[in-house]
């Protein structure tokens, strides 16, 4: 009988030691490091956030799960409540609709005023001869009325903030009309690119500011109430109407904007925020420079 030979194969385990069972630990370690990185990133974002931003984040996490799953849309039913009872503080559907209706009403008022001004300019003898110098349009800020200069018919005496008679008539005619709307206004003065200076302390910036303020005074004389004016500014030649020709006389103009509700609210909020920061001893983000109101000495 032939004797069968049995072959026994011995497999030797790897030489990495018995404590390491494959590479699974590397995946777990990578997950741990990712989680720590995310944690420190969240802590850093919270540290640099303002109290109001942190309050908004907390409000987001208080949102009901059903609302969050639906993409944040709020339900107007009584079941939309926070855990523990009470109405959902994130419910703003009514507020949004109210804001939209107010903006629509505001836009309709400004459109109606534009039509009324167009008719007045076309029919009034005081305006007809100056029709080419009066520009009216609707902008993102509201209803803008611009009175532009011309070589033959300037609005002010040369290099002065003294209003000429026909410009005075236009402004006094406009004054009472501005009272018909609850919206406030801004008055801006512009010059062309010709540099004016009677000394180093008075130039185009001061001249444009004084012309804007002189226009405001004529509106008041015409019957406009004083609290209608929200802002009077001089912009010198920083915003040309004719960009191709910075010396064009139409760049010398007075711009009166009947502000829409959104822009008026923004300006009032910005001014209020700056005042609050000053009272708290902080530096506001932007400061307004008060322009001198004295008229230049004619030369």
């Amino acid at each position: 009988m032939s004797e069968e030979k049995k072959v026994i194969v011995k497999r030797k385990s790897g030489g990495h030691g018995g404590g390491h069972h494959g590479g699974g630990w590397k995946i777990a370690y990578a997950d741990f490091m990712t989680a720590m990185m995310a944690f420190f990133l969240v802590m850093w974002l919270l540290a640099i956030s303002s109290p109001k931003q942190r309050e908004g984040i907390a409000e987001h996490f208080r949102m009901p799960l059903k609302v969050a799953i639906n993409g944040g849309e709020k339900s107007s039913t009584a079941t939309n409540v926070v855990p523990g009872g009470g109405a959902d503080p994130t419910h703003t559907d009514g507020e949004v609709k109210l804001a939209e209706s107010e903006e629509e009403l505001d836009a309709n008022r400004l459109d109606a005023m534009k039509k009324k001004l167009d008719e007045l300019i076309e029919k009034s003898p005081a305006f007809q001869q100056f029709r080419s110098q009066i520009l009216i349009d609707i902008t993102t800020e509201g209803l803008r009325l611009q009175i532009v200069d011309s070589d033959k018919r300037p609005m002010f005496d040369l290099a002065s903030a003294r209003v000429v008679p026909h410009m005075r008539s236009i402004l006094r005619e406009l004054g009472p009309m501005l009272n018909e709307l609850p919206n406030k206004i801004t008055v801006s003065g512009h010059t062309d690119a010709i540099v004016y200076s009677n000394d180093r302390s008075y130039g185009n910036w001061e001249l444009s500011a004084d012309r804007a303020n002189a226009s405001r005074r004529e509106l008041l004389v015409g019957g406009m109430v004083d609290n209608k004016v929200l802002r009077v500014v001089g912009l010198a030649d920083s915003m040309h109407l004719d960009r191709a020709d910075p010396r064009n006389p139409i760049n010398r103009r007075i711009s009166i904007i009947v502000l829409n509700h959104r822009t008026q609210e923004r300006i009032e909020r910005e001014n209020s925020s700056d005042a609050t920061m000053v009272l708290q001893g902080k530096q506001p983000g932007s400061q307004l420079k008060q322009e001198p109101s004295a008229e230049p000495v004619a030369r």
Side-chain angles (χ1 to χ4, degrees):
M1 281 179 67
S2 62
E3 203 175 295
E4 294 182 0
K5 294 183 179 180
K6 295 182 179 180
V7 178
I8 299 175
V9 178
K10 292 184 178 180
R11 300 183 181 276
K12 191 175 181 180
S13 60
H16 297 289
H20 301 284
H21 304 286
W25 67 273
K26 298 179 181 178
I27 298 175
Y29 183 71
D31 290 342
F32 171 75
M33 293 303 295
T34 303
M36 290 299 295
M37 185 182 297
F39 171 74
F40 285 115
L41 180 61
V42 170
M43 296 300 292
W44 175 72
L45 289 173
L46 289 175
I48 65 172
S49 299
S50 66
K52 184 174 291 186
Q53 289 172 326
R54 289 196 291 269
E55 182 180 346
I57 295 172
E59 196 66 48
H60 172 76
F61 284 103
R62 282 197 290 268
M63 182 183 297
L65 180 60
K66 183 178 178 181
V67 174
I69 293 175
N70 291 332
E73 295 182 0
K74 290 80 176 178
S75 171
S76 59
T77 62
T79 58
N80 187 17
V81 295
V82 293
D88 179 12
T90 64
H91 180 69
T92 57
D93 279 354
E95 295 176 5
V96 171
K97 290 179 181 178
L98 181 60
E100 289 177 351
S101 63
E102 286 181 353
E103 288 188 8
E104 186 177 353
L105 181 63
D106 192 41
N108 291 337
R109 282 199 302 258
L110 294 178
D111 284 335
M113 174 59 77
K114 181 180 183 301
K115 293 177 181 177
K116 190 171 183 178
L117 286 170
D118 286 332
E119 291 177 1
L120 176 68
I121 293 170
E122 293 295 335
K123 297 178 181 179
S124 173
F127 282 96
Q128 282 181 352
Q129 57 181 325
F130 310 116
R131 182 66 185 95
S132 61
Q133 290 181 249
I134 302 175
L135 310 175
I136 306 175
D137 61 347
I138 299 290
T139 71
T140 55
E141 293 186 334
L143 172 61
R144 180 176 62 181
L145 189 150
Q146 298 185 94
I147 308 171
V148 302
D149 216 341
S150 73
D151 285 332
K152 297 181 180 179
R153 194 182 289 120
M155 299 178 295
F156 300 89
D157 285 344
L158 181 64
S160 167
R162 191 172 295 109
V163 184
V164 299
H166 70 264
M167 177 65 169
R168 186 179 297 119
S169 300
I170 293 174
L171 293 170
R172 293 185 181 184
E173 190 83 15
L174 289 172
M177 295 191 66
L178 297 175
N179 293 332
E180 296 179 12
L181 294 179
N183 309 57
K184 293 190 177 183
I185 71 168
T186 62
V187 184
S188 305
H190 302 261
T191 67
D192 55 24
I194 299 175
V195 178
Y196 165 77
S197 178
N198 59 5
D199 58 55
R200 291 187 177 182
S201 64
Y202 198 96
N204 285 28
W205 288 99
E206 289 77 14
L207 180 61
S208 61
D210 286 347
R211 286 180 171 180
N213 202 33
S215 300
R216 177 194 63 85
R217 288 194 294 266
E218 294 300 333
L219 291 170
L220 294 177
V221 173
M224 185 187 73
V225 295
D226 191 24
N227 62 4
K228 292 289 293 183
V229 182
L230 187 61
R231 180 177 287 176
V232 177
V233 293
L235 298 173
D237 63 332
S238 62
M239 300 175 67
H240 298 303
L241 197 58
D242 182 2
R243 297 181 182 180
D245 183 8
R247 292 180 170 234
N248 191 327
I250 68 171
N251 291 319
R252 302 191 299 264
R253 65 196 190 278
I254 294 295
S255 177
I256 301 170
I257 299 180
V258 183
L259 300 171
N260 55 37
H261 179 71
R262 178 180 295 182
T263 305
Q264 178 179 325
E265 208 172 47
R266 175 180 58 78
I267 294 175
E268 291 173 338
R269 186 170 58 249
E270 287 173 354
N271 292 343
S272 176
S273 299
D274 282 352
T276 302
M277 294 181 72
V278 170
L279 290 174
Q280 293 176 348
K282 299 178 181 179
Q283 184 72 18
S286 60
Q287 297 182 357
L288 296 177
K289 180 181 178 182
Q290 184 177 0
E291 303 290 351
S293 58
E295 293 186 356
V297 178
R299 292 191 175 185

